[in-house]
Amino acid sequence: AAKLAPTAIPRRSGDGPVPPSFAQQRLWFIDQLDPGSAAYNLRFPLRLRGTLDVPVLRRALSAVVARHEALRTVFAAEGGEPVQVVRPPEPVPFPAVDLGRLAEERREAEAARLAGEEALRPFDLSRGPLLRATLLRLGDGDHAALFTMHHVVSDGWSMGVLVRELSALYHAFSRGEPSPLPELPVQYADYAVWQRERVSGEALEAQLAWWRERLAGAPPTLELPADRPRLPAGEAPAQTCLVELPPGLTRRLRELAQAEGATPFMALLAGFSLLLARYSGQDDVVVGSPIAGRTRSELEGLIGFFVNTLALRTDLSGDPSFRGLLRRVREATLGAFQHQDLPFERLVEELAPERSLTHAPLFQVMFALQNTEQSALRLGELRMEPLPPGEGVTQFDLDLSLQEGPERIVGTLRYRRDRFDAPTVERMLAHFRILLEAALAAPDRPVSGLPLLAGEERARVLEAWNATARAYPRGRCLHELVAEQAARTPDAPAVVFEGRVLVYAELDARADRLAHGLRLRGVGPEARVAIAVEKGFEMALAVLGVLKAGGAYVPLDPAYPPERLAWMLEDSGARVLLTQESLRQRLPEFAGEVCFVPTDGTPLPRPLPRKGGGENGTGPDNLAYVIYTSGSTGRPKGVAVQHRAVVNYAVDMAERLGLG
């Protein structure tokens, strides 16, 4: 891999405006397109247990902001392009809200409400500040600190830096000691200048070439079955669902990964990609995954937007085994890590995917696995506990974020509430676990044979939903059932059209006379009769008359192009065309016999005497009709349907719809 040269990051000269990093530039442009969005608010609420010295906490926070230029940065526009402007240090607003007088249950609810409001309050990138802090007092020795930063100056790693430095400074200041933190070797603006100078030349082109080849022909969207279609909105309210992989499954996953020279991240990505492939029906899946982007030691203790995103493409074609799929994912992931120096923003600019207001470019699903140990958080003598950050908003359909512990893997699946309902996502996670269990139990089995369902759901889908057997008159034809109904209820409405009613007795009698005329023209079993009439009584009469004559009808829409109608007449082998005089001139030439559907005043021939069911020689295995496909992929194709099938369908639909 052609890595970018690991040159040292120099300190910039002067304190004037500097260009943003590539990542900052993308977020600035997004903010220009959608101002007031909270999609890139990073929230980190903490519960503080113990006696809190509020003035010392405020002083410690101001000291952190003074150390990190990123937290004092705003963005101005010069010539339509953003620049970073670093403001001088000043005390940080840290308002406090006292909820201690409320009843305990109201206190917690009000704290959650305020935390939610704070998480969704937008930032102004041109005015700042881009860090906000609010302190909630819930009782003696019980506080919540709500920290919110805009992603343009921070990332998940930065949250850890903030908490560690805040803790160290609070501990020192509460004892009257000076700051124990060493001077930072560089600032974020130094990194941004260095990045732009570094991401250029032959090494950059080599990285771009690898990604161009890797993502060539990748599907632009992952078409997951959702509860609602995508809407033209870059962000949506988010909700989270808890994920937990038990110790046994976690152990087997690690064992398989180790045996294949892979990591748990790769094994989980293989399983998650397989789940997405099964849900979408696509064997080419692209998932985004964040990486820290801090490839140099001097960046590790810095607050700023360093995180990069890799587009990890998984090939599931050819129905590999899960072991084979893991090997594919391993190679793809190693290649992506070797080319991680290219900023995602530069990749999007290079590939120039079609932009859409309904979905993110390149991928719509994110996956991450953290394997760093979570040490106990302290603030002097106080104990700190991370609080749920609230739902917020998201621009991704799904975002699976897992944490690897000593015995089990836990995390959350964040999803767009405008696309998915909670039961849908919970079912998806259940399927993920079932799929992983089966894959780890039989890693050499083709992935198409790995189950998604288990227990009650499997029985419901495969057995209960498929218990569709119904008693129906297997030896009868459709027109015979209509005749029997006419005998039972001769005066009941059979057809209603535009306020007029045709009762069963009249429909049956008129259809008998039309059938007689058609039989005189040679219509019998398997003979196809094309019907081209307008909607109304005549349509019902024509269909029933053809069936009573023993033939099979071929419906033609008079509005179709003449070429399509001519093809259907020829392909079906129709020997008679049954139409209306008002339509004849709109229909193509026809080599067979043309008949007109009788109107109310047209005299009809006397019908042949009834000889009981089956008098026209047709049976359940004879054709009832031929219906043509839309022809959207070529010429229309005729589908032949027997009486047995249509009687089965009619009886089933009557039962499903509750028809008498």
Side-chain angles (χ1 to χ4, degrees):
K3 289 196 173 184
L4 301 178
T7 57
I9 301 177
R11 296 296 293 260
R12 71 191 189 283
S13 59
D15 56 0
V18 298
S21 67
F22 289 108
Q24 286 182 321
Q25 180 173 314
R26 181 173 70 94
L27 289 197
W28 183 85
F29 277 118
I30 290 174
D31 186 74
Q32 298 300 297
L33 293 172
D34 188 17
S37 167
Y40 293 96
N41 285 12
L42 300 181
R43 306 167 301 283
F44 195 64
L46 291 169
R47 195 69 170 258
L48 308 177
R49 308 281 191 179
T51 303
L52 176 65
D53 190 327
V54 176
V56 169
L57 179 60
R58 289 193 172 109
R59 181 186 169 198
L61 181 61
S62 294
V64 172
V65 174
R67 275 174 55 79
H68 295 272
E69 289 183 355
L71 299 180
R72 296 182 276 116
T73 296
V74 295
F75 294 83
E78 292 185 357
E81 297 289 332
V83 293
Q84 298 186 71
V85 178
V86 180
R87 290 179 170 171
E90 57 184 22
V92 178
F94 200 165
V97 180
D98 190 355
L99 304 178
R101 296 181 180 180
L102 299 177
E104 185 173 353
E105 61 275 7
R106 286 191 56 203
R107 192 184 312 162
E108 296 292 336
E110 182 64 9
R113 186 188 68 80
L114 292 174
E117 285 185 356
E118 166 57 31
L120 296 175
R121 191 153 57 94
F123 286 97
D124 185 336
L125 301 191
S126 65
R127 297 179 59 187
L130 301 184
L131 162 68
R132 292 195 303 261
T134 302
L135 185 67
L136 306 180
R137 179 184 175 276
L138 289 92
D140 293 336
D142 188 4
H143 295 77
L146 311 178
F147 297 106
T148 309
M149 290 188 275
H150 195 283
H151 203 350
V152 77
V153 296
S154 182
D155 55 20
W157 184 299
S158 298
M159 292 293 192
V161 174
L162 172 69
V163 171
R164 287 196 302 273
E165 293 197 353
L166 198 63
S167 178
L169 291 167
Y170 182 91
H171 181 79
F173 293 166
S174 62
R175 287 165 171 73
E177 300 170 358
S179 168
L181 302 176
E183 181 182 356
L184 292 171
V186 293
Q187 292 288 344
Y188 187 83
D190 304 326
Y191 161 79
V193 173
W194 171 80
Q195 182 197 48
R196 287 189 171 272
E197 293 174 349
R198 180 170 175 257
V199 181
S200 60
E202 294 181 2
L204 168 64
E205 183 52 41
Q207 294 249 336
L208 282 172
W210 187 89
W211 282 106
R212 275 195 299 264
E213 180 180 357
R214 178 64 191 160
L215 297 177
T221 57
L222 185 65
E223 298 299 337
L224 296 173
D227 297 296
R228 286 167 293 280
R230 287 192 177 95
L231 298 175
E235 65 182 53
Q239 197 159 327
T240 56
C241 191
L242 297 179
V243 184
E244 181 177 345
L245 303 182
L249 190 152
T250 300
R251 184 185 67 256
R252 292 193 298 275
L253 183 135
R254 288 169 174 162
E255 290 171 352
L256 178 62
Q258 185 176 20
E260 294 301 322
T263 63
F265 171 88
M266 297 172 185
L268 287 165
L269 177 60
F272 190 44
S273 298
L274 176 56
L275 176 77
L276 298 174
R278 294 283 287 272
Y279 261 69
S280 66
Q282 299 172 219
D283 60 9
D284 191 354
V285 174
V286 182
V287 173
S289 186
I291 57 171
R294 298 172 188 251
T295 56
R296 299 190 58 83
S297 60
E298 61 263 45
L299 302 179
E300 292 182 359
L302 206 56
I303 290 177
F305 185 11
F306 296 96
V307 67
N308 197 13
T309 306
L310 302 181
L312 303 178
R313 186 178 185 182
T314 301
D315 173 20
L316 296 103
S317 63
D319 196 19
S321 66
F322 187 75
R323 191 187 303 275
L325 177 62
L326 175 56
R327 291 170 180 171
R328 294 183 187 183
V329 169
R330 177 183 179 276
E331 294 305 311
T333 304
L334 289 176
F337 286 163
Q338 289 173 345
H339 296 83
Q340 66 173 289
D341 292 320
L342 182 71
F344 176 73
E345 295 71 26
R346 187 69 180 82
L347 176 62
V348 173
E349 178 184 332
E350 173 68 21
L351 298 181
E354 182 178 350
R355 295 304 183 120
S356 172
L357 294 176
T358 63
H359 60 80
L362 301 187
F363 48 79
Q364 297 79 48
V365 174
M366 292 285 285
F367 171 72
L369 173 66
Q370 304 292 334
N371 54 15
T372 55
E373 292 188 11
Q374 297 292 321
S375 56
L377 300 176
R378 309 291 298 185
L379 187 66
E381 300 301 321
L382 284 81
R383 187 174 71 255
M384 290 194 290
E385 305 167 3
L387 292 175
E391 305 302 350
V393 295
T394 181
Q395 62 270 35
F396 297 104
D397 289 350
L398 301 172
D399 187 347
L400 179 60
S401 180
L402 301 177
Q403 174 74 41
E404 188 176 2
E407 295 185 355
R408 67 186 68 223
I409 293 171
V410 297
T412 59
L413 179 59
R414 201 159 181 253
Y415 59 94
R416 290 178 65 127
R417 282 196 339 223
D418 66 341
R419 294 212 70 208
F420 300 96
D421 293 329
T424 300
V425 176
E426 291 167 0
R427 186 165 56 250
M428 185 182 297
L429 287 174
H431 293 165
F432 180 46
R433 179 169 164 176
I434 292 168
L435 199 58
L436 275 180
E437 291 275 12
L440 296 173
D444 296 307
R445 185 178 180 182
V447 293
S448 64
L450 298 175
L452 277 180
L453 309 178
E456 181 182 341
E457 184 183 21
R458 179 180 177 85
R460 182 170 65 253
V461 173
L462 298 185
E463 298 172 15
W465 287 356
N466 283 294
T468 59
R470 297 290 187 275
Y472 73 97
R474 296 174 178 270
R476 315 301 295 282
C477 296
L478 181 59
H479 57 279
E480 294 171 355
L481 299 182
V482 176
E484 292 173 5
Q485 185 66 32
R488 286 193 299 269
T489 59
D491 298 322
V495 184
V496 178
F497 180 69
E498 294 185 345
R500 296 187 299 148
V501 176
L502 185 65
V503 298
Y504 268 102
E506 186 178 359
L507 172 65
D508 192 55
R510 293 179 62 188
D512 274 339
R513 291 193 288 272
L514 176 58
H516 172 58
L518 292 173
R519 286 200 294 270
L520 293 177
R521 289 167 172 80
V523 175
E526 302 300 312
R528 290 84 185 266
V529 177
I531 296 176
V533 298
E534 300 285 4
K535 292 180 181 178
F537 290 165
E538 289 75 17
M539 172 66 80
L541 177 61
V543 168
L544 191 55
V546 172
L547 295 177
K548 281 177 170 286
Y553 67 90
V554 183
L556 306 180
D557 188 337
Y560 282 165
E563 297 80 9
R564 177 184 173 98
L565 294 173
W567 162 253
M568 294 166 68
L569 286 168
E570 177 187 352
D571 185 65
S572 67
R575 59 194 305 174
V576 176
L577 171 60
L578 191 57
T579 185
Q580 294 164 295
E581 293 189 31
S582 60
L583 298 175
R584 183 64 189 96
Q585 297 305 314
R586 293 161 53 182
L587 302 175
E589 292 296 323
F590 178 60
E593 189 167 358
V594 178
C595 298
F596 297 110
V597 180
T599 60
D600 291 346
T602 303
L604 294 166
R606 291 175 58 82
L608 296 175
R610 286 184 183 273
K611 298 179 181 178
E615 73 276 2
N616 58 18
T618 54
D621 294 325
N622 288 119
L623 285 184
Y625 61 86
V626 177
I627 190 78
Y628 274 79
T629 63
S630 65
S632 57
T633 59
R635 281 189 164 183
K637 298 175 180 63
V639 179
V641 181
Q642 299 172 319
H643 276 273
R644 185 189 308 280
V646 73
V647 167
N648 181 8
Y649 178 72
V651 170
D652 179 61
M653 289 305 296
E655 181 175 318
R656 288 175 185 268
L657 299 177
L659 303 179

